Amino acid sequence: MGVFWNVAVFKKQHNVDVWEIVKELAAGENVFFILLEECELCDCEGGNILSFNEYCYADDKFAKVLSQKLEGPVMVCSIYDDSFWDYYLYKNGMELDKFSTVPDCFEPIAEEEWDQWRGNAALLAKEFGCSAESLSKHLYFWKDEMGDAWEVVDFLEALGFKFPDFDDTTWEDSDDELESLNDSSRTVQEVYPSNQVCLYNDYFHDDYENFQKYLENKSKAKNPIDLVADVKVDMEFVVWVRVCEDGIMQQFSRNELTSEQIVQMMNETLNGRYTYFAADFLFQGKGIYVKRLKKKVYSPYHSTLVLHQGLGNFACLFFAGDSLCCYELIGNFYTYYYVDIKELQMLSVGNVMLPETIVFQERTGIDRALHMLFSHLKYADKHLKKSSLWSAQNVFPGGRNNYNRWRRELGLLED
């Protein structure tokens, strides 16, 4: 996965306690998914920079709420998976401006909508007291070739928000990292972030046994799961189910099945009867108010669970349609966190070849993951992001059409 980076910039506050506002937004339902321990407030010449955790929902609604609580203009700026960067500018709860380097990254937009995403350098210069010329050179759409998402830092510095110099802390400089291996309160992702794979071989060369023991403990289920007894599928969201038996694909609509029958099919797949199982779910997406219709129109999205089984190997994947992510259940923690991606083996699982990182030799871990998935099916994307059991792979750039095309090309989903 690429970089997810979110900041808000605003003029220095005189009558507002910024941290109290952040705590307030992180309390209760925490709709913006703010992790306080990963937020940081920095002073600079132009005002304040408030950085948020990478999966914070830093969208226009976030900018609107912040602007209602902070003094003066508030800009929320983000990098999304290295695929584009954007900003939303609000003041007193009202949108003043917005910009994106790839406005149609998620889906095609009408020709007249492009102007809404161009950004307004003159307006920014007026609100923040800087040079419009220095800003305008950053406000352009990316065309065929991807741009550099980190250009957003240069843009913010031109806006008057120069980032402070931080001291780099390397793994080798930390005396506490090895001790943290035995800290059961931390997840695998916290101790071994995926972008640090290149450091594992050197750092753990002399401590392989401790490292392996830690990963094995993390991969074990805390409580046994009985799939048939403990899992229930919400039929409200089911569209269809497919299973492959003896090379013959069968498809069932939701009207032909009960929740118990779907769970039984998953169970029989993991017991060896079916080589392939897929279940497609339809959810209501975000609403967009259409002035011409004078109502909010909701865009539905599909999410799909896929199970593969064969030759004593198992694999589980979940295609989250709201984020256009494919979540792959990690079967071998050692290879996932320790082996260089170029050295990974491809293993046969039914009729497909999959990397050894996501291949299981027994079903226990998959039962546990399915229980977790169906406990929060409607909000699966949000919950899977927080789990150390799942590896997310984005399919940007290209938007939803390329996402669906990618699923078909993999042979996991058919028209």
Side-chain angles (χ1 to χ4, degrees):
M1 294 181 64
V3 173
F4 291 82
W5 182 82
N6 307 295
V7 299
V9 297
F10 43 86
K11 295 180 179 179
K12 289 181 179 173
Q13 305 295 293
H14 300 289
N15 304 307
V16 178
D17 187 328
V18 176
W19 272 116
E20 286 302 315
I21 290 176
V22 177
K23 290 179 182 177
E24 178 186 338
L25 293 177
E29 296 183 3
N30 193 7
V31 294
F32 299 113
F33 193 41
I34 298 171
L35 301 180
L36 289 174
E37 64 273 17
E38 296 183 20
C39 298
E40 186 172 3
L41 181 65
C42 302
D43 292 328
C44 61
E45 184 176 345
N48 297 116
I49 301 172
L50 183 58
S51 62
F52 295 90
N53 47 292
E54 61 177 350
Y55 292 124
C56 170
Y57 297 156
D59 54 10
D60 55 335
K61 297 182 182 63
F62 191 45
K64 179 177 181 179
V65 170
L66 285 175
S67 73
Q68 292 171 331
K69 299 177 179 295
L70 297 174
E71 301 170 337
V74 175
M75 176 181 286
V76 169
C77 217
S78 303
I79 292 176
Y80 194 99
D81 197 27
D82 286 331
S83 298
F84 66 87
W85 70 268
D86 61 14
Y87 72 70
Y88 295 95
L89 178 67
Y90 273 72
K91 188 175 182 179
N92 298 324
M94 301 294 293
E95 180 183 293
L96 299 184
D97 191 27
K98 63 181 180 181
F99 169 77
S100 174
T101 56
V102 189
D104 62 344
C105 190
F106 295 99
E107 58 186 358
I109 63 175
E111 188 66 30
E112 59 270 19
E113 292 184 43
W114 283 83
D115 284 340
Q116 302 174 18
W117 290 98
R118 293 187 182 277
N120 188 329
L123 174 63
L124 295 175
K126 178 182 178 181
E127 290 293 337
F128 291 99
C130 57
S131 166
E133 183 179 356
S134 63
L135 295 172
S136 59
K137 65 181 181 180
H138 300 292
L139 304 180
Y140 62 93
F141 297 140
W142 294 350
K143 297 300 183 182
D144 296 332
E145 296 183 3
M146 295 294 292
D148 181 4
W150 286 109
E151 182 186 15
V152 64
V153 174
D154 298 328
F155 165 75
L156 289 175
E157 290 188 354
L159 195 66
F161 296 87
K162 181 175 175 58
F163 286 75
D165 295 326
F166 297 102
D167 294 330
D168 292 332
T169 302
T170 64
W171 282 51
E172 290 78 6
D173 292 335
S174 175
D175 295 329
D176 300 325
E177 288 296 340
L178 284 178
E179 292 181 10
S180 69
L181 290 174
N182 296 317
D183 181 359
S184 60
S185 66
R186 303 186 69 190
T187 67
V188 173
Q189 288 176 327
E190 289 173 322
V191 181
Y192 306 107
S194 57
N195 60 355
Q196 298 286 353
V197 171
C198 58
L199 299 179
Y200 296 163
N201 291 333
D202 293 334
Y203 190 78
F204 290 104
H205 184 272
D206 297 325
D207 198 51
Y208 168 74
E209 291 185 2
N210 193 13
F211 178 53
Q212 186 179 43
K213 180 179 179 181
Y214 172 78
L215 295 181
E216 288 176 352
N217 288 337
K218 294 300 292 187
S219 65
K220 293 178 180 177
K222 296 180 180 179
N223 298 302
I225 296 295
D226 183 330
L227 194 65
V228 175
D230 297 334
V231 172
K232 182 175 178 59
V233 178
D234 192 333
M235 297 302 293
E236 176 187 355
F237 305 117
V238 176
V239 179
W240 50 255
V241 172
R242 293 179 183 146
V243 291
C244 184
E245 183 177 15
D246 297 329
I248 300 175
M249 187 73 74
Q250 303 175 66
Q251 177 166 317
F252 306 88
S253 68
R254 75 173 184 177
N255 296 327
E256 299 177 81
L257 298 172
T258 64
S259 172
E260 292 74 19
Q261 288 173 318
I262 293 176
V263 174
Q264 186 60 40
M265 286 181 173
M266 291 190 289
N267 189 55
E268 291 177 343
T269 301
L270 298 177
N271 281 340
R273 176 179 175 181
Y274 303 115
T275 57
Y276 169 92
F277 168 94
D280 193 66
F281 310 98
L282 185 64
F283 303 99
Q284 178 176 283
K286 293 183 178 179
I288 300 176
Y289 185 78
V290 180
K291 291 183 179 179
R292 184 175 298 176
L293 300 178
K294 295 183 179 180
K295 67 177 182 179
K296 185 174 286 189
V297 177
Y298 294 89
S299 176
Y301 64 88
H302 289 264
S303 292
T304 310
L305 169 69
V306 176
L307 299 176
H308 285 285
Q309 176 278 136
L311 298 177
N313 293 329
F314 307 87
C316 176
L317 305 93
F318 185 78
F319 293 86
D322 47 350
S323 64
L324 307 190
C325 278
C326 172
Y327 287 91
E328 301 173 327
L329 187 63
I330 302 172
N332 189 322
F333 277 79
Y334 168 71
T335 56
Y336 182 75
Y337 288 101
Y338 195 78
V339 176
D340 189 289
I341 189 170
K342 297 178 182 178
E343 300 176 1
L344 291 177
Q345 298 182 46
M346 299 297 288
L347 301 178
S348 176
V349 186
N351 296 324
V352 298
M353 298 296 291
L354 297 172
E356 58 181 320
T357 53
I358 63 171
V359 175
F360 291 74
Q361 268 69 53
E362 56 91 27
R363 60 174 287 178
T364 304
I366 298 182
D367 287 331
R368 180 187 179 194
L370 293 175
H371 180 262
M372 170 188 171
L373 178 69
F374 285 102
S375 296
H376 307 285
L377 184 60
K378 188 176 181 180
Y379 306 100
D381 182 56
K382 178 178 177 180
H383 288 279
L384 297 190
K385 281 177 181 176
K386 297 188 292 183
S387 170
S388 60
L389 302 176
W390 298 81
S391 164
Q393 292 189 357
N394 274 351
V395 274
F396 283 119
R400 191 170 301 279
N401 290 336
N402 278 3
Y403 167 74
N404 288 326
R405 187 182 304 118
W406 181 69
R407 293 197 296 176
R408 289 193 295 271
E409 289 176 352
L410 285 180
L412 301 176
L413 300 174
E414 302 175 5
D415 292 326

